[in-house]
Amino acid sequence: MDIKILTIFPEMFTGPLTTSIIKKARDKEILKIKVINFRDYSENKHNTVDDYPFGGGAGMLLKPEPIVNALENNLDLENNNQEIILVTPQGKTFKQEDANLLATKKNLTFICGHYEGFDERIRSYVTKEYSLGDFVMTGGEIPAMAMVDAIARLIPGVIKEEDSFKDDSFFGGLLEYPQYTRPRVFRDIEVPEVLLSGNHEHIRKWRRKESLRRTYKRRPELLMNFQFTKEDKKFLEEIKKEEK
């Protein structure tokens, strides 16, 4: 996958994109990431990227020319297998299903907003808009980092064992089941006996039921549109009785 990030603070991406799993994926060329300072595409000698809004108002807006020039000079805008993403509080809340979809694309470009907003005409080049949630940050850089990380780990070859993310919270619509490692007993709290049984079918059922239980107790709204199997319905009825 080829990812481009348009920002006026490229130095913010040095750590997150040059360590851990992302670094390994870049070293293997599974993932290509280019951070572009769109200030370099400004059309005046002062490299200005912002200006006052027409009609008045507080703060400054990002001008259209630097961002559009950066897009035109670094992207094939005719490419249909890409998404140009505006990171903005006005966008759709980014969820696992969005990460799953974007991970199938060959090319992604993130535009990191800043200041009080951006010239509306930039939107004509954008295919999707995302936010991390109902709160405002100082810029789009940190949300873009989070989205890139969530997407990158789904690309084949980035994580060694694909099954390791298939059980993640949200991937299948539920929160992840509880997990344990050694020691078997820690401060009088024991690992559930079923996990030590060696019976894979019993373990599978326990994990599924506990995943449903955790979702039911912590994020019940996720179950509203969940596609239950016959087994899931049975587990959920048991959970409701047990939790009363």
Side-chain angles (χ1 to χ4, degrees):
M1 176 182 283
D2 191 330
I3 296 177
K4 295 180 175 65
I5 302 168
L6 274 60
T7 173
I8 52 173
F9 296 105
E11 63 275 10
M12 289 183 68
F13 292 88
T14 301
L17 302 184
T18 56
T19 56
S20 190
I21 290 172
I22 300 295
K23 179 183 185 299
K24 291 178 182 177
R26 296 179 75 182
D27 289 344
K28 294 177 184 176
E29 297 189 351
I30 298 171
L31 189 63
K32 296 181 179 179
I33 301 178
K34 182 179 182 181
V35 181
I36 300 162
N37 188 342
F38 61 81
R39 189 181 294 280
D40 296 337
Y41 295 88
S42 176
E43 295 183 348
N44 64 61
K45 63 181 181 181
H46 301 294
N47 291 332
T48 304
V49 296
D50 60 336
D51 209 336
Y52 294 102
F54 282 119
M60 307 284 277
L61 297 179
L62 288 172
K63 293 162 60 65
E65 310 99 288
I67 292 175
V68 172
N69 288 343
L71 291 173
E72 291 178 339
N73 279 272
N74 290 278
L75 275 66
D76 174 10
L77 295 177
E78 301 300 318
N79 179 6
N80 293 322
N81 194 15
Q82 70 175 335
E83 298 289 357
I84 300 174
I85 300 161
L86 187 63
V87 183
T88 168
Q90 300 175 20
K92 175 183 182 291
T93 301
F94 186 80
K95 296 185 178 181
Q96 185 63 50
E97 62 194 35
D98 301 301
N100 297 345
L101 175 63
L102 293 174
T104 66
K105 298 292 182 177
K106 293 288 187 183
N107 299 275
L108 299 178
T109 299
F110 292 84
I111 303 172
C112 301
H114 226 79
Y115 304 116
E116 288 299 317
F118 45 84
D119 189 292
E120 185 69 16
R121 290 165 289 189
I122 292 169
R123 273 198 162 98
S124 62
Y125 292 84
V126 170
T127 59
K128 293 188 182 297
E129 299 184 21
Y130 287 115
S131 164
L132 283 191
D134 296 338
F135 54 91
V136 180
M137 303 187 73
T138 54
E141 284 76 16
I142 293 175
M145 293 174 201
M147 293 181 209
V148 168
D149 187 272
I151 295 163
R153 65 194 302 276
L154 301 175
I155 299 169
V158 172
I159 293 181
K160 187 178 294 185
E161 297 183 21
E162 186 177 320
D163 286 343
S164 67
F165 66 72
K166 287 184 177 178
D167 288 329
D168 284 346
S169 294
F170 305 112
F171 188 85
L174 300 175
L175 298 185
E176 189 176 18
Y177 49 79
Q179 298 203 70
Y180 300 84
T181 187
R182 296 178 183 177
R184 180 172 176 173
V185 180
F186 176 71
R187 296 185 181 178
D188 298 326
I189 302 174
E190 295 190 33
V191 174
E193 192 66 31
V194 65
L195 299 178
L196 308 172
S197 68
N199 188 316
H200 297 296
E201 179 60 11
H202 288 177
I203 291 170
R204 182 197 67 78
K205 288 182 177 180
W206 181 88
R207 285 176 169 171
R208 185 65 174 183
K209 184 174 179 179
E210 292 310 307
S211 184
L212 281 161
R213 186 192 307 276
R214 182 157 284 183
T215 307
Y216 172 72
K217 292 177 69 176
R218 299 185 182 186
R219 294 291 303 276
E221 75 278 8
L222 294 176
L223 298 177
M224 292 179 64
N225 298 313
F226 185 70
Q227 298 297 312
F228 291 93
T229 64
K230 187 177 180 179
E231 181 183 65
D232 291 335
K233 292 177 181 177
K234 175 178 175 290
F235 285 155
L236 189 58
E237 287 305 311
E238 292 175 0
I239 290 165
K240 288 179 179 179
K241 291 177 182 178
E242 292 166 1
E243 295 298 330
K244 280 186 178 180

